[in-house]
Structures are given as C-alpha cells and as structure tokens.
Amino acid sequence: MENGKPSVKKKLAHAAGWKLARRAAKAVPPFGTILAIGFVGYDIKKKGFIRGVLNSGLDAIPIVGTGKNIIELFTGDFLPDKDDGENGRKLPGKKENEVK
C-alpha cells in the first residue's frame, strides 16, 4: 500500500472475494428450503399436523427460516411439541396406550 491506496492485487482479491460470497449466498437458500421440505413429515409427527406444517413452512422461507432457527437456538421452540397429557412431551412414533 503506497500513500494509503490499496494495490491492484488487493483490489482484485477483494472483488473476487465479494463475487464468491454473493454466489455462495445465492446457492444456500435453496438447500435450506429443500431440507425444510424434507423434514415436514418429522415435524408433523413431533408437533402435530398444523404446528408441524407451520413450522416447516416458516423454515422453508429463506431469510425467515434462518432467523427463526437462530432465535430458537437461544429461546427454544416457537411451536411446542404435542403433549400426551401425562409426562409432558410425547415422543414421535409412540402410541398413547403402548405398554412398555
């Protein structure tokens, strides 16, 4: 750096870095959406039909889903799992009257 001006190499590296970052940012949202759609069945089992579809729908929206998941890391689920009436949360796939 001469006289406070960046060199041509640094300018090219900076521009290439931003171009790569933009490409990566454009590629990421579809993967998150595909994963959210893939987990719809699991969410429905865990949370019930309406809450499961709503949870997966929010997760499938690129920016909203990312924000929701980041907040849920610190606060817990926005949409709680379904209750079994006895012990609090019901495990996915477990029937109510199942004998152990």
Side-chain angles (χ1 to χ4, degrees):
M1 241 192 318
E2 274 183 26
N3 302 329
K5 295 182 181 179
S7 68
V8 173
K9 253 188 190 178
K10 287 198 182 241
K11 285 183 181 180
L12 285 173
H14 185 73
W18 274 110
K19 187 173 182 178
L20 186 64
R22 275 183 275 170
R23 271 194 173 172
K26 288 179 184 177
V28 170
F31 295 122
T33 301
I34 290 168
L35 281 174
I37 292 169
F39 282 110
V40 171
Y42 177 75
D43 279 345
I44 289 173
K45 275 186 188 177
K46 197 168 107 176
K47 298 181 180 295
F49 182 77
I50 294 177
R51 288 184 198 160
V53 170
L54 187 60
N55 189 56
S56 292
L58 288 173
D59 285 342
I61 301 170
I63 295 171
V64 175
T66 303
K68 176 184 156 295
N69 288 322
I70 290 171
I71 292 169
E72 284 182 345
L73 280 173
F74 299 103
T75 62
D77 283 344
F78 282 151
L79 302 167
D81 294 347
K82 57 185 175 182
D83 290 336
D84 68 354
E86 290 177 19
N87 313 359
R89 296 200 171 175
K90 183 177 179 182
L91 296 174
K94 185 174 181 180
K95 296 177 185 169
E96 278 186 42
N97 298 327
E98 187 176 316
V99 178
K100 293 182 182 178

